[in-house]
Amino acid sequence: MDKILEAVVMSSYPNNVKQGLVRRVIEAAKQPMDSEQCWSMLELSTKLYLTGDTKYKREIGKEVLEVYGRYHPEEFEEFFNVRFLLSLLQEGYGPLGKRSHYVLDYIQLGLQFVLESPSANSIFSLLRIEVLRKVCERPGPKQCAKISKLLTQHPQCIPTGKHQLLFCQQLIRCIGQFQCVSEGEEEIMEFLEQVNKVSGLLQRIWRTQTSAILPSLKELFTIISSTEEQEVPSNALASVVQFVPLELMDGVIRNLTNDDSITDVQMMMAIGRMIDWVSWPLGKNIDKWIIALLKGLAAVKKFSILIEVTLSKIEKVFSKLLYPIVREGALSVLQYMLLSFQHSHEAFHLLLPHIPRLVASLKKEDSNSATSSLEQLAELIHCMFFRFSGFPDLYEPVLEAVKALPIPNEDRIKHLLGQNAWTSQKNELACFYPRLASKSETGKIGLINLGNTCYMNSIIQSLFMASDFRHSVLNLTEGNSQPLMTKLQWLFAFLEHSQRPAISPESFLSASWPPWFTPGAQQDCSEYLKYLLDRLHEEEKTGKRICQKLKESSLTSQAVEHHYLNKTLIEKMFGGKMMTKIRCLKCLNVSSREEVFTDLSLAFPPSDRNVRGSTSILPVEKIGPQFIEPPENAGQLMGSPWIQRKAPMASDHAALSVSVETLGFQERREEAANPIHGNDVGVDAAKDPLSAFGEQARAPKDSRSVPDLINYFLSPERLTAENKYHCEKCASLQDAEKVAELTEGPHYLILTLLRFSFDPRTMKRKKILDNVSIPVVLKLPILVAPEETEEVCKHGKDGAVPGSGFMTVVYDLCSVVVHSGISSESGHYYCYSRECTDTIPHGQPRDGVLKPASDKQLDFEIQWYLFNDTRVSFSSFESVSNITSFFPKDTAYVLFYRQRPERQSCLLHEALAEAGRLHGEPSLHKDLMEAISKDNILFLQEQEKEARNRAAYISALPKSPLWWRDLDRDKDDDSSSGGCSPAAGGGGSGSFHGLVF
């Protein structure tokens, strides 16, 4: 019969004819027959099954085997013996070089017919040994899947005892070497099915033998933590972790993170490879294990590992959001990585270039998964905006991309940041500053944030960029008996000459720290600035004079010179004077008092007060005499001159304010109508640089502007009711009017916008978020003596109006400190700055007066910089003026203006101009230069050492596929589709292989 069957199978008859003949043979095989005939048929069917070159032949072999196993069990058991199986497993079947791949399938097929036979146990014992030997030979995924299928169907063949533990470990080793070489979707799906069969076997073993779990995981960790040069372990190992019971997670992670035998490099390698597992499709709980290990490392303060791994892997994790099949797990890991990385903006900033494209792609996909992910991503982005504010140039494209998505409230943001931080002790991360390889391309140096010290950093950078002040500080001689000023000199010198990208202001912070400030808490930068200037002023005033003298002017009288040289540096640079006058409305007696100031605190007018009025702001030149007559003897100011300002009565003619003029925020006037205005800031309308900004340079109708706030500050205030003034002449409380007038403009005008007010309902200081337009050029009315006005007019100087008592002083904007946040107790400070100097060429003298050339074109050509702690970047006035429009919580808070040198009597300007004639920084004393030189050498040594250490770390990090290919896959199509095709298409066959492997 075997000859007949072989002839039929090998014949050229059509398959349907063959099938009929085979049916007859199979039916005949169900009848009793002798042992020799059965053996011949079993040999033939074995040959057909194992070496058949077509599926049809193998199917016939299978059917015949099943018939003889069922109807001739004794003969089948005798044929299917231990010796035959051992030969199959060790030597294979078929000619050399063409051994059959179906041996395991054949054994699985035959086992079902010998389960009750006496030889069953011997067969099981043989298979327990042989399957262990097989997996030790590292078979591929296909053979491992066949072993797993065999052992799943016949668990009696699973190795037992110590062999079972070894089997699990070796099987994990096999999985670690699985690779899918094909990119076809069918082949990939087959590969995934094979991996699931193998990992499913491990799950089955672990269920019955839980003691094998921990040794198996230890073997897995050994594989992924290996630092030897070898092939990268397969991501298929993720399929093993998904079957580990979650209740074991805490113990496993605790043992790993507290094992002293595991080096940092090994741990970094392991967690890096685990993060790569987010690309494994359909894996359960993988994200939970990754996050648990990251948290475990944070618990034992392995911050250097966390930082390196996060920065090297976060972009790859982000790219996996394109694929719906792995999106949920990837988003969970991304959320934890970003929310925990709170000591530096580095991780978030790595993602900024990719966010707009991903958002566009998710919107295009338009699925429930994409919608949910977009909302979570937007929440995450706003958390990062909140934590790392002060980067408007980088954030604008991202903000534009997510503007239509929901914005979380501040409580939600604080909750997310609070529960995910690596540690609540910020000083534990003090040594892990953002890694900067070299100076900013701007050439400027940043300041390291020492724990909510951005308020100090922004003030220091603003003072440093005040070049006249910086030159004076750097010119101080050694041994000047001013310890705080000396520390500022050293800080400025390092900011000027250090090779470091950023320096630590720790020494200056400890010296300038206001005693009532709470360490580690956010503080008011304006309060710090006032305290700092006062300290520096008092230090010099009490006898510790600066040694560097500014050049004397031959045109200045000895009295003026003596008065000037007696001033402290703070008075020379930031000191101004203001006259406060109060007039009794009954007897018309006026008392006045002159005070000095280093900054003007500008309150916001009540919402019902329109400071602008219905007409444009009046120029200084058109202001008439003030309503208050100068008193014969100015008496002492009585009562409380600092009473809250109230709006004057509309019908009161005396309520005309002293107006402030600004360039670029008002309609231009006819030059011929006001010949004095033509000499004021002479820029032709056609050449006005402000015209380039169009409406952006003009304040919106309902918004405030800096001139509005100054006008409100200088406007008269009515003192009535509970605020009545005690008049000395009347000897009683009387209604009165109070007005402030500027009598001397400071060299650097500091304006503080009083944005924080106390809310009695919440018992907290709330922030006024009103947008305030900031002029790049500001004109202030300064009250001067009549003889000085005449002297200025006689020499043809700009700005004085005969008979008015006022003259115009022009200021150029040089720094803007921005507060980001909604409370003075929180948020972040950063600043925009530029250097305003007198280095422009001058025109020919006229009437003995030197004229500036075109008034510096309103300074629009001077480069702006953005200082945000360690980061310094180029910026522009357009960015300064639009900041609140893009980021409503980012508002200008402290402004620095520099006075233009237009008054011939100003000794300070001439001395400073002479000191800076070479337009170079002052030479430093020997000790300071040596300290900077030594630190620069030390920095180079640190760089070399860090480069070696990082090279070791980076070489240890797992090498994975290029993550950016996911985002760049359809780069050429972006202009038309607006998104990335892998996400929009849900991950097609072309992108699926790149996803998993």
Side-chain angles (χ1 to χ4, degrees):
M1 189 177 293
D2 58 303
K3 301 296 183 182
I4 297 173
L5 179 61
E6 185 174 14
V8 171
V9 172
M10 298 301 177
S11 69
S12 58
Y13 294 136
N15 283 348
N16 59 339
V17 176
K18 290 182 182 180
Q19 191 64 33
L21 297 174
V22 170
R23 283 290 114 207
R24 294 183 182 182
V25 174
I26 290 177
E27 288 298 324
K30 295 178 181 179
Q31 306 302 319
M33 61 177 63
D34 58 44
S35 177
E36 184 178 352
Q37 184 63 44
C38 286
W39 196 279
S40 298
M41 287 296 290
L42 286 170
E43 285 184 335
L44 176 61
S45 58
T46 298
K47 178 182 178 182
L48 289 174
Y49 187 86
L50 291 175
T51 62
D53 55 0
T54 65
K55 186 177 180 181
Y56 174 71
K57 292 178 182 179
R58 292 195 298 272
E59 286 294 329
I60 292 176
K62 178 182 177 182
E63 288 186 46
V64 173
L65 283 170
E66 288 175 339
V67 168
Y68 278 85
R70 189 171 294 114
Y71 291 97
H72 305 281
E74 294 179 2
E75 288 79 3
F76 188 89
E77 181 182 343
E78 182 182 356
F79 178 82
F80 201 77
N81 58 64
V82 172
R83 182 176 296 179
F84 175 59
L85 295 181
L86 180 62
S87 174
L88 284 177
L89 290 167
Q90 291 189 355
E91 300 175 10
Y93 188 93
L96 288 176
K98 293 185 178 180
R99 297 296 191 188
S100 173
H101 300 296
Y102 301 100
V103 170
L104 291 171
D105 306 89
Y106 175 82
I107 293 174
Q108 181 182 341
L109 176 64
L111 273 179
Q112 60 183 313
F113 304 113
V114 297
L115 296 178
E116 304 298 329
S117 69
S119 62
N121 288 333
S122 299
I123 294 175
F124 295 154
S125 296
L126 171 68
L127 290 176
R128 282 195 287 268
I129 295 173
E130 285 301 308
V131 293
L132 177 57
R133 184 184 63 80
K134 280 284 187 183
V135 296
C136 287
E137 293 176 353
R138 305 285 185 272
K142 191 171 184 178
Q143 290 300 308
C144 279
K146 290 182 177 181
I147 293 174
S148 300
K149 184 178 178 181
L150 170 64
L151 300 185
T152 301
Q153 189 170 344
H154 302 289
Q156 307 95 319
C157 303
I158 297 175
T160 57
K162 293 182 178 179
H163 286 173
Q164 185 180 83
L165 179 57
L166 180 60
F167 176 79
C168 290
Q169 292 173 327
Q170 293 302 316
L171 196 59
I172 290 173
R173 288 274 176 185
C174 291
I175 297 174
Q177 294 186 359
F178 286 177
Q179 299 295 334
C180 182
V181 295
S182 175
E183 295 191 7
E185 186 169 348
E186 289 185 7
E187 290 82 359
I188 291 173
M189 296 306 297
E190 182 183 3
F191 174 77
L192 293 176
E193 186 179 354
Q194 292 164 356
V195 173
N196 284 337
K197 284 180 181 178
V198 179
S199 57
L201 174 62
L202 284 170
Q203 181 190 26
R204 182 186 182 93
I205 296 174
W206 290 346
R207 281 178 180 173
T208 58
Q209 198 68 31
T210 56
S211 60
I213 297 178
L214 293 181
S216 299
L217 290 180
K218 186 175 182 180
E219 187 69 21
L220 184 146
F221 186 82
T222 301
I223 296 171
I224 64 176
S225 63
S226 174
T227 58
E228 298 177 3
E229 287 293 334
Q230 58 182 11
E231 194 170 353
V232 178
S234 171
N235 282 348
L237 288 169
S239 65
V240 176
V241 175
Q242 67 180 332
F243 294 124
V244 180
L246 292 180
E247 54 266 24
L248 298 179
M249 181 183 289
D250 290 341
V252 170
I253 298 299
R254 188 165 51 251
N255 289 338
L256 281 177
T257 54
N258 288 281
D259 189 341
D260 294 334
S261 66
I262 301 174
T263 66
D264 285 357
V265 174
Q266 289 175 320
M267 184 62 76
M268 186 182 304
M269 184 70 73
I271 186 61
R273 285 170 172 162
M274 283 183 67
I275 290 174
D276 288 342
W277 293 350
V278 297
S279 62
W280 184 257
L282 306 178
K284 298 178 181 178
N285 301 326
I286 295 172
D287 56 324
K288 294 182 176 65
W289 280 95
I290 295 172
I291 293 171
L293 183 53
L294 291 172
K295 288 182 176 179
L297 291 171
V300 295
K301 307 188 188 318
K302 296 285 188 179
F303 301 128
S304 59
I305 297 177
L306 291 167
I307 291 171
E308 290 290 342
V309 168
T310 300
L311 295 178
S312 64
K313 293 294 182 181
I314 195 165
E315 289 174 285
K316 182 177 182 183
V317 173
F318 181 81
S319 71
K320 299 311 170 188
L321 299 182
L322 289 167
Y323 305 97
I325 197 169
V326 297
R327 183 175 293 152
E328 184 179 355
L331 185 56
S332 296
V333 175
L334 178 71
Q335 285 174 324
Y336 179 76
M337 292 175 83
L338 275 182
L339 291 173
S340 62
F341 202 94
Q342 294 186 29
H343 72 288
S344 163
H345 55 259
E346 288 177 281
F348 178 51
H349 284 193
L350 287 174
L351 305 181
L352 294 179
H354 315 301
I355 291 176
R357 294 178 58 192
L358 176 69
V359 170
S361 189
L362 291 178
K363 287 180 178 178
K364 183 180 177 183
E365 182 181 320
D366 193 25
S367 66
N368 291 335
S369 169
T371 302
S372 174
S373 298
L374 272 175
E375 292 177 356
Q376 295 179 68
L377 183 62
E379 182 178 69
L380 189 58
I381 290 170
H382 283 289
C383 285
M384 295 298 99
F385 283 167
F386 181 88
R387 180 65 186 87
F388 305 115
S389 55
F391 300 93
D393 51 336
L394 297 179
Y395 292 171
E396 281 183 22
V398 177
L399 188 66
E400 181 68 21
V402 300
K403 65 180 181 181
L405 299 171
I407 301 175
N409 58 44
E410 187 171 349
D411 290 339
R412 170 66 175 167
I413 290 175
K414 289 180 177 178
H415 171 72
L416 289 172
L417 292 172
Q419 73 176 5
N420 288 285
W422 285 337
T423 174
S424 59
Q425 304 300 318
K426 294 182 179 179
N427 59 331
E428 293 179 341
L429 288 165
C431 59
F432 297 105
Y433 302 125
R435 299 172 307 182
L436 301 169
S438 59
K439 267 189 182 182
S440 160
E441 61 181 355
T442 64
K444 305 296 181 183
I445 297 176
L447 289 170
I448 294 170
N449 192 316
L450 303 175
N452 278 333
T453 58
C454 54
Y455 66 90
M456 178 190 71
N457 290 349
S458 58
I459 291 299
I460 294 300
Q461 294 286 20
S462 297
L463 292 174
F464 177 79
M465 292 296 285
S467 54
D468 299 335
F469 178 65
R470 179 178 74 247
H471 289 164
S472 299
V473 171
L474 292 176
N475 270 318
L476 290 176
T477 57
E478 194 174 2
N480 53 61
S481 301
Q482 299 179 67
L484 184 57
M485 186 68 83
T486 299
K487 286 186 178 294
L488 183 62
Q489 181 189 42
W490 279 62
L491 182 58
F492 278 5
F494 272 82
L495 284 174
E496 186 68 38
H497 298 289
S498 177
Q499 293 300 315
R500 295 181 182 272
I503 60 175
S504 171
E506 186 173 4
S507 176
F508 187 78
L509 173 65
S510 60
S512 63
W513 181 273
W516 61 90
F517 276 15
T518 304
Q522 184 60 279
Q523 305 294 342
D524 188 328
C525 75
S526 174
E527 187 177 3
Y528 174 77
L529 174 60
K530 289 182 175 71
Y531 177 79
L532 175 61
L533 295 182
D534 186 61
R535 277 276 309 276
L536 294 171
H537 167 69
E538 291 298 327
E539 188 177 78
E540 183 179 352
K541 184 179 177 183
T542 54
K544 300 171 184 177
R545 304 288 185 184
I546 58 174
C547 297
Q548 174 71 36
K549 290 186 178 181
L550 302 176
K551 187 177 180 181
E552 299 174 0
S553 171
S554 59
L555 300 178
T556 308
S557 67
Q558 291 298 316
V560 173
E561 178 185 338
H562 178 73
H563 171 70
Y564 167 73
L565 291 178
N566 280 337
K567 284 186 175 183
T568 66
L569 179 59
I570 300 304
E571 287 177 312
K572 295 171 189 173
M573 293 293 170
F574 305 103
K577 291 183 180 179
M578 178 171 55
M579 182 75 72
T580 303
K581 299 178 181 179
I582 300 181
R583 181 180 69 168
C584 174
L585 295 181
K586 182 177 181 181
C587 67
L588 302 182
N589 181 56
V590 176
S591 64
S592 62
R593 182 178 68 181
E594 190 173 56
E595 298 173 293
V596 296
F597 65 88
T598 54
D599 80 309
L600 296 180
S601 298
L602 305 180
F604 282 71
S607 56
D608 59 346
R609 168 132 184 207
N610 187 1
V611 176
R612 272 182 190 278
S614 57
T615 59
S616 61
I617 298 174
L618 292 174
V620 175
E621 294 80 348
K622 292 189 177 180
I623 298 175
Q626 290 300 289
F627 67 92
I628 294 179
E629 295 291 337
E632 293 181 7
N633 296 307
Q636 293 297 320
L637 186 65
M638 300 294 292
S640 176
W642 307 117
I643 300 172
Q644 181 178 355
R645 191 178 304 278
K646 296 182 180 179
M649 304 200 44
S651 59
D652 192 350
H653 295 288
L656 291 171
S657 64
V658 180
S659 299
V660 182
E661 184 177 358
T662 171
L663 294 185
F665 290 89
Q666 60 179 10
E667 297 295 329
R668 295 194 61 83
R669 297 172 183 79
E670 293 291 332
E671 299 290 342
N674 190 350
I676 297 179
H677 184 67
N679 293 326
D680 197 78
V681 178
V683 182
D684 295 337
K687 299 179 181 178
D688 188 353
L690 281 163
S691 61
F693 289 93
E695 293 301 318
Q696 293 179 359
R698 304 183 185 277
K701 219 172 189 181
D702 299 329
S703 71
R704 306 287 186 187
S705 69
V706 170
D708 290 340
L709 303 187
I710 297 178
N711 279 334
Y712 181 56
F713 178 84
L714 297 176
S715 65
E717 177 185 355
R718 183 68 64 87
L719 307 178
T720 60
E722 296 179 357
N723 293 330
K724 283 188 176 183
Y725 165 67
H726 186 275
C727 177
E728 285 187 339
K729 192 171 182 180
C730 299
S732 61
L733 293 173
Q734 298 293 336
D735 290 348
E737 285 179 336
K738 182 175 71 172
V739 70
E741 296 171 331
L742 302 179
T743 58
E744 182 178 319
H747 182 60
Y748 282 102
L749 173 66
I750 301 176
L751 303 177
T752 300
L753 311 187
L754 297 180
R755 291 189 173 276
F756 301 112
S757 60
F758 184 75
D759 188 347
R761 292 179 304 154
T762 60
M763 301 300 290
K764 292 182 179 179
R765 294 174 72 195
K766 66 178 183 179
K767 182 179 178 182
I768 300 172
L769 295 172
D770 294 3
N771 190 7
V772 176
S773 300
I774 305 170
V776 69
V777 179
L778 181 70
K779 293 183 181 181
L780 280 185
I782 302 297
L783 183 66
V784 294
E787 60 271 16
E788 187 175 354
T789 305
E790 293 174 6
E791 182 71 15
V792 172
C793 290
K794 190 167 94 175
H795 284 83
K797 284 298 291 182
D798 303 338
V801 181
S804 71
F806 286 89
M807 71 173 300
T808 301
V809 176
V810 181
Y811 283 90
D812 297 304
L813 181 67
C814 53
S815 287
V816 178
V817 178
V818 177
H819 177 263
S820 176
I822 60 173
S823 168
S824 61
E825 289 81 20
S826 63
H828 179 64
Y829 289 99
Y830 56 95
C831 73
Y832 293 92
S833 290
R834 63 174 182 164
E835 290 196 67
C836 295
T837 58
D838 301 326
T839 58
I840 56 157
H842 289 271
Q844 294 297 319
R846 184 178 61 187
D847 299 328
V849 179
L850 211 59
K851 289 295 210 180
S854 72
D855 288 313
K856 297 194 288 185
Q857 291 295 304
L858 299 184
D859 293 337
F860 272 85
E861 73 282 2
I862 299 179
Q863 179 65 56
W864 281 90
Y865 302 95
L866 174 57
F867 295 88
N868 187 358
D869 289 335
T870 56
R871 182 178 184 269
V872 187
S873 58
F874 290 115
S875 190
S876 64
F877 179 69
E878 185 176 12
S879 180
V880 178
S881 57
N882 290 336
I883 180 67
T884 308
S885 301
F886 283 101
F887 302 92
K889 296 178 184 178
D890 291 30
T891 53
Y893 184 39
V894 178
L895 313 177
F896 287 72
Y897 281 89
R898 180 182 183 272
Q899 185 182 144
R900 286 193 186 175
E902 295 188 357
R903 296 176 63 180
Q904 187 180 8
S905 61
C906 185
L907 173 66
L908 175 61
H909 281 296
E910 296 181 6
L912 288 173
E914 180 64 27
R917 191 162 310 276
L918 298 179
H919 194 47
E921 294 301 325
S923 59
L924 306 177
H925 58 76
K926 182 179 179 182
D927 288 350
L928 185 49
M929 286 300 297
E930 287 181 355
I932 295 173
S933 178
K934 287 180 180 179
D935 185 70
N936 286 339
I937 294 173
L938 177 62
F939 172 65
L940 293 176
Q941 294 171 345
E942 291 172 356
Q943 288 289 91
E944 292 175 1
K945 182 179 178 180
E946 183 181 354
R948 289 194 297 268
N949 293 340
R950 281 187 55 75
Y953 266 143
I954 292 172
S955 63
L957 286 171
K959 299 174 183 176
S960 51
L962 299 178
W963 57 265
W964 57 82
R965 287 179 180 167
D966 293 325
L967 288 167
D968 292 340
R969 192 176 304 279
D970 62 335
K971 190 172 183 179
D972 296 337
D973 301 329
D974 279 351
S975 59
S976 58
S977 66
C980 302
S981 61
S989 60
S991 62
F992 192 74
H993 184 273
L995 160 68
V996 184
F997 315 107

